[in-house]
Amino acid sequence: MSRPKQVTIVEVAAAAGVSIATVSNVLNRGGIRSSKETIRKVELAAEQLGYRRNTMAAGLSRNKTFEIGLIVPGLTSYYGRLAEYLQLEAHHAGYHLSVFSSGGFDPTIERRNLEVLLQRRVDGLICHGLAMGKDSTRAIVNSGTPLVLINGWGWPEDIAVGAVNLGFAEACRQSTKLLVDRGCDELIYAGSKISNVIDEQRRNGFHLGLQQLSVEISHRIVEMKELDVDAFLQEVVAGPTQRTGIVAFDDHVALKLLSAANRQKIDFPNRLQMIGINNDYMAMQSYPGISSWDIPYELQAQMAIHKLLHKFGHTVEASEEREFEVPLIFIERETTRI
């Protein structure tokens, strides 16, 4: 069977009643202003004829592909929602977002994904942290393709043009104060070293919060992966303190603790209080509801795309800040509400 004949821009121009140059400008985003009516006619003609742009050829001729590459550790929970918002922001800016998962901070998969995206000559990259580290990333991202990091603290300018980071440390700092204000006389941070850099930020905030308290308070850090949750909570409630406050790494960790506490009929919020992070669906629907820090996904996505567009020359940077911090929003529910 012979392949169907490929539609050309000559045929699109004839169907739309405009010049070939106008069709090329509209379909290839040439930058020359066209009226809304002209754009509508060209796009309608292209759709009716079944015209498909050869994006690779167009990108090679202009040294621009209008494609942005995104690498995240996974496509569930926070990462999936962030990818959706980044996709929308990229679309509104006239770019296509290609999304890759690194299979849970796997440096080998990260490296392969980066190399694939660079071979496709994407105009820019957005990556959530990077497990393979600074030196390995520098060896790959050396072709001038701008890289913006999501939750990447302290990366040098020769690797990343900037970072858009969530205020995890500040949220945990405020959580310690809030729990003490609610009457807690012991504080615990329940961490998760699987997400090492993120966990470090939250631990830093927890420690800073303790330092800023006006009184000394009993405190400790536990690692959820190593914890027998039921035995841990039994030990907590058997202790000398009247009310224990837990800052959980995220709402998944908080839910595990909450479920075990419910099994043991531990009283929230009089004996135990808890704050999670991410404000996931489980925090809203659990019983009792988990107080949590909500993530402004839209703002984080806007700032990440903005930093790339600035590097592309489309926008004027409003601030010289390389690392922009997105503040989280506290949502109080029954696990802290007295």
Side-chain angles (χ1 to χ4, degrees):
M1 182 183 294
S2 62
R3 295 178 61 185
K5 178 178 175 291
Q6 196 166 30
V7 178
T8 68
I9 63 170
V10 176
E11 293 167 288
V12 175
V18 298
S19 69
I20 296 171
T22 297
V23 172
S24 177
N25 179 65
V26 170
L27 297 181
N28 294 320
R29 302 183 183 98
I32 301 172
R33 287 181 177 271
S34 299
S35 69
K36 289 183 179 179
E37 177 61 20
T38 298
I39 293 171
R40 189 192 67 79
K41 286 196 298 184
V42 170
E43 289 180 342
L44 181 61
E47 182 181 351
Q48 290 175 340
L49 292 171
Y51 174 78
R52 296 289 182 271
R53 280 176 71 233
N54 186 334
T55 54
M56 184 168 290
L60 290 172
S61 67
R62 293 192 318 273
N63 198 28
K64 195 168 184 63
T65 61
F66 287 94
E67 182 178 7
I68 294 171
L70 171 66
I71 299 177
V72 289
L75 296 174
T76 59
S77 191
Y78 161 71
Y79 304 116
R81 290 190 64 187
L82 176 63
E84 286 183 3
Y85 279 97
L86 285 166
Q87 171 67 60
L88 287 172
E89 292 300 322
H91 171 74
H92 294 324
Y95 286 80
H96 170 72
L97 188 73
S98 293
V99 184
F100 287 73
S101 165
S102 65
F105 293 104
D106 185 316
T108 303
I109 298 176
E110 277 184 357
R111 175 184 289 273
R112 186 181 67 196
N113 289 343
L114 268 176
E115 288 174 342
V116 167
L117 286 166
L118 290 172
Q119 287 168 10
R120 288 165 58 166
R121 301 194 181 187
V122 294
D123 295 334
L125 292 162
I126 299 175
C127 298
H128 185 285
L130 273 174
M132 59 194 217
K134 296 179 177 67
D135 291 337
S136 296
T137 305
R138 182 184 284 110
I140 298 174
V141 186
N142 58 3
S143 61
T145 304
L147 165 66
V148 170
L149 291 171
I150 297 287
N151 299 331
W153 291 267
W155 284 65
E157 281 188 70
D158 66 322
I159 302 176
V161 300
V164 181
N165 304 325
L166 292 175
F168 295 131
E170 177 61 15
C172 287
R173 183 195 72 78
Q174 291 189 41
S175 293
T176 61
K177 181 179 185 306
L178 185 144
L179 289 169
V180 171
D181 289 345
R182 294 290 192 278
C184 294
D185 51 356
E186 178 188 30
L187 292 179
I188 298 171
Y189 172 72
S192 176
K193 289 183 179 178
I194 295 173
S195 303
N196 190 36
V197 176
I198 307 297
D199 188 58
E200 181 182 26
Q201 286 293 312
R202 299 179 189 188
R203 288 172 190 246
N204 289 345
F206 181 72
H207 285 303
L208 182 60
L210 291 169
Q211 292 168 16
Q212 293 179 349
L213 294 175
S214 57
V215 294
E216 291 252 352
I217 192 164
S218 173
H219 63 273
R220 53 182 158 154
I221 291 176
V222 296
E223 168 60 35
M224 279 300 293
K225 192 176 180 183
E226 302 165 357
L227 212 60
D228 179 328
V229 178
D230 287 283
F232 164 69
L233 288 177
Q234 287 170 11
E235 179 259 322
V236 166
V237 297
T241 56
Q242 298 299 307
R243 181 177 293 160
T244 299
I246 299 177
V247 180
F249 171 81
D250 62 11
D251 295 334
H252 290 268
V253 168
L255 184 63
K256 289 178 183 177
L257 291 164
L258 180 68
S259 298
N262 284 340
R263 285 195 296 271
Q264 297 179 39
K265 296 182 171 55
I266 298 173
D267 182 10
F268 277 98
N270 295 311
R271 182 61 186 88
L272 193 64
Q273 295 196 10
M274 186 161 56
I275 299 175
I277 292 182
N278 288 356
N279 196 33
D280 282 328
Y281 180 79
M282 65 193 70
M284 307 175 203
Q285 299 300 321
S286 65
Y287 180 79
I290 300 170
S291 295
S292 189
W293 289 90
D294 191 49
I295 295 173
Y297 290 94
E298 187 173 6
L299 176 58
Q300 191 176 29
Q302 286 173 350
M303 292 306 302
I305 296 295
H306 172 81
K307 281 190 174 293
L308 276 184
L309 292 179
H310 169 66
K311 194 65 180 178
F312 299 160
H314 295 332
T315 63
V316 176
E317 183 77 346
S319 168
E320 294 298 320
E321 243 182 331
R322 283 191 64 247
E323 292 191 13
F324 180 85
E325 182 169 302
V326 178
L328 307 190
I329 302 162
F330 184 61
I331 307 295
E332 185 158 31
R333 298 189 180 93
E334 289 79 9
T335 56
T336 58
R337 189 179 291 143
I338 297 293

